[in-house]
């Protein structure tokens, strides 16, 4: 028996679903056929992949090591399939973009509108994540593009900087901090800080670089919810300028007079992986996004 991709897929599915029976159901095959294929793989490799002495079959240490390497092969095979699609004559069938929720959506939507007017047949999937969740999803799902506030650079990632985005530290005009001068860190710790949960970190207490380290923190799942909460006087927090320019002009929101500074600027980046070269639609959409952010 030769080691093939389909057998590795079956092994991966058994482990992910937790049983031979569930894997068989999902594949619409008899459990005995699944078990036979795994047994043949064990005989071919000369090791037991599963410990069958327990109520539920569990991976042996050898099986776990082989599955780890097998998953790398599956990912490489998946990347080859993507390359084959993108080197074909037509448009790629699917394009996935993951975007940090702090980045303005208007330029992206305008770029997608221009793409749709060109009658491109590619299906586009847009997903919003926050902080490290963007890169986590990008890597896990082999996404085509990510538009991020920050990311961990590798030799395979190609990043293009976009127009900088300003953040302001603000409160409602009715909040006790609104009229305070020379606000210090201890003053902030007396009130509720509103922040965005990192969708890539399972620890709800994890902090990004702009948090102030107080005990009274509310984690929200998006900047619109954060803006509304601040408007209601629930607490203070960082919000992108593009979301609150009208409220600041009208005086409904007030920029804090914080001694550490109440303004922060970051440069978003449009990133793709050289291991997964962009197809025609991906290249075109990248150009359109860059153009829209430059306006």
């Amino acid at each position: 028996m030769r080691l093939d991709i389909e057998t590795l897929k079956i092994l991966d599915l058994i482990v992910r679903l937790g049983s031979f029976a569930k894997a068989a159901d999902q594949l619409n095959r008899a459990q005995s056929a699944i078990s036979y294929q795994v047994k043949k793989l064990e005989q071919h490799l000369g090791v037991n992949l599963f410990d069958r002495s327990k109520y539920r079959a569990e991976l042996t240490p050898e099986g776990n090591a082989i599955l780890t390497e097998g998953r790398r092969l599956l990912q490489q095979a998946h990347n080859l399939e993507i390359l084959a699609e993108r080197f074909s004559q037509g448009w790629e069938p699917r394009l996935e973009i993951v975007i940090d929720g702090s980045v303005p959506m208007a330029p992206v939507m305008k770029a997608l509108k221009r793409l749709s007017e060109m009658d491109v047949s590619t299906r586009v999937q847009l997903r919003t994540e926050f902080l490290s969740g963007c890169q986590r999803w990008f890597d896990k799902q082999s996404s085509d593009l990510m538009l991020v506030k920050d990311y961990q650079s590798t030799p395979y990632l190609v990043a293009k900087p976009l127009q900088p985005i300003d953040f302001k530290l603000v409160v409602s005009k009715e909040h006790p901090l609104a009229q305070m001068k020379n606000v210090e860190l201890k003053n902030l710790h007396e009130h509720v800080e509103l922040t965005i949960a990192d969708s890539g970190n399972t620890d709800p207490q994890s902090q990004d670089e702009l948090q102030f380290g107080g005990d009274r923190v509310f984690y929200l799942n998006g900047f619109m919810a954060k803006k509304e909460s601040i408007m209601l006087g629930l607490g203070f927090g960082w919000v992108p300028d593009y979301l609150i320019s009208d409220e600041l002009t009208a005086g409904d929101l007030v920029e804090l007079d914080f001694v550490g500074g109440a303004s922060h600027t970051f440069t978003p980046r449009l990133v793709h992986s050289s291991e997964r070269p962009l197809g025609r639609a991906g290249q075109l959409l990248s150009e359109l996004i860059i153009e829209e952010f430059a306006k």
Side-chain angles (χ1 to χ4, degrees):
M1 174 184 176
R2 300 174 64 184
L3 184 62
D4 61 81
I5 294 297
E6 290 306 313
T7 305
L8 291 175
K9 287 181 178 178
I10 290 172
L11 178 61
D12 176 57
L13 189 61
I14 292 169
V15 174
R16 285 193 291 107
L17 296 182
S19 74
F20 282 71
K22 290 180 180 178
D25 286 343
Q26 181 157 320
L27 294 171
N28 197 26
R29 295 175 60 182
Q31 182 176 339
S32 58
I34 297 296
S35 298
Y36 176 77
Q37 197 158 353
V38 172
K39 193 65 179 176
K40 292 290 289 183
L41 176 61
E42 290 178 320
Q43 292 172 355
H44 173 70
L45 296 174
V47 297
N48 290 324
L49 301 177
F50 288 94
D51 180 358
R52 295 173 174 82
S53 65
K54 300 179 181 179
Y55 173 74
R56 175 174 294 179
E58 296 180 359
L59 280 177
T60 61
E62 296 84 357
N64 189 61
I66 287 171
L67 176 60
T68 299
E69 292 301 318
R71 282 174 170 165
R72 292 177 184 171
L73 289 176
L74 290 174
Q75 183 61 55
Q76 291 173 0
H78 178 62
N79 290 343
L80 286 174
E81 292 172 355
I82 293 174
L83 285 176
E85 288 179 351
R86 293 175 184 177
F87 289 153
S88 64
Q89 294 299 316
W91 300 97
E92 58 267 46
R94 176 179 172 275
L95 187 66
E96 182 175 270
I97 315 163
V98 57
I99 301 178
D100 189 286
S102 65
V103 176
M105 293 295 294
V108 180
M109 294 298 105
K110 290 176 181 177
L112 287 174
K113 183 175 183 293
R114 291 172 63 186
L115 185 71
S116 69
E117 291 169 349
M118 298 176 187
D119 200 27
V120 174
S121 59
T122 300
R123 291 182 292 110
V124 179
Q125 183 171 345
L126 192 67
R127 182 180 181 88
T128 301
E129 296 285 341
F130 293 94
L131 300 171
S132 69
C134 286
Q135 190 162 5
R136 181 174 180 270
W137 184 268
F138 178 83
D139 292 336
K140 181 179 179 182
Q141 300 298 326
S142 299
S143 299
D144 303 283
L145 292 163
M146 63 175 175
L147 188 49
V148 292
K149 176 178 179 287
D150 196 11
Y151 74 106
Q152 292 294 319
S153 177
T154 75
Y156 306 105
L157 294 181
V158 181
K160 296 180 180 179
L162 303 175
Q163 290 299 106
I165 295 173
D166 294 326
F167 272 61
K168 291 290 191 300
L169 184 61
V170 297
V171 290
S172 164
K173 65 180 180 180
E174 308 295 340
H175 193 278
L177 290 171
Q179 304 304 320
M180 187 178 295
K181 300 298 181 183
N182 298 316
V183 177
E184 298 181 6
L185 186 61
K186 64 180 181 180
N187 302 128
L188 295 182
H189 287 174
E190 295 171 356
H191 300 276
V192 173
E193 178 181 2
L194 300 171
T195 190
I196 303 296
D198 186 340
S199 61
N201 196 323
T202 56
D203 179 7
Q205 302 303 318
S206 64
Q207 294 188 6
D208 67 31
E209 61 180 8
L210 294 181
Q211 278 187 243
F212 294 97
D215 295 328
R216 304 178 67 188
V217 182
F218 286 6
Y219 292 86
L220 305 173
N221 65 352
F223 278 97
M224 291 308 297
K226 184 175 184 179
K227 173 183 172 180
E228 292 301 319
S229 299
I230 293 174
M231 293 285 293
L232 289 171
L234 178 58
F236 66 93
W238 294 98
V239 186
D241 267 9
Y242 67 87
L243 283 180
I244 55 172
S245 57
D246 291 342
E247 289 78 5
L248 285 171
T249 300
D252 296 321
L253 289 179
V254 177
E255 184 176 337
L256 284 179
D257 184 28
F258 178 52
V259 294
S263 182
H264 173 76
T265 301
F266 77 88
T267 300
R269 287 173 171 79
L270 185 63
V271 183
H272 76 272
S273 173
S274 61
E275 291 184 307
R276 304 189 294 274
L278 295 173
R280 291 176 64 190
Q283 293 175 17
L284 178 56
L285 182 58
S286 294
E287 294 169 3
L288 294 175
I289 288 175
I290 292 170
E291 288 177 9
E292 290 298 332
F293 269 90
K295 291 181 178 179

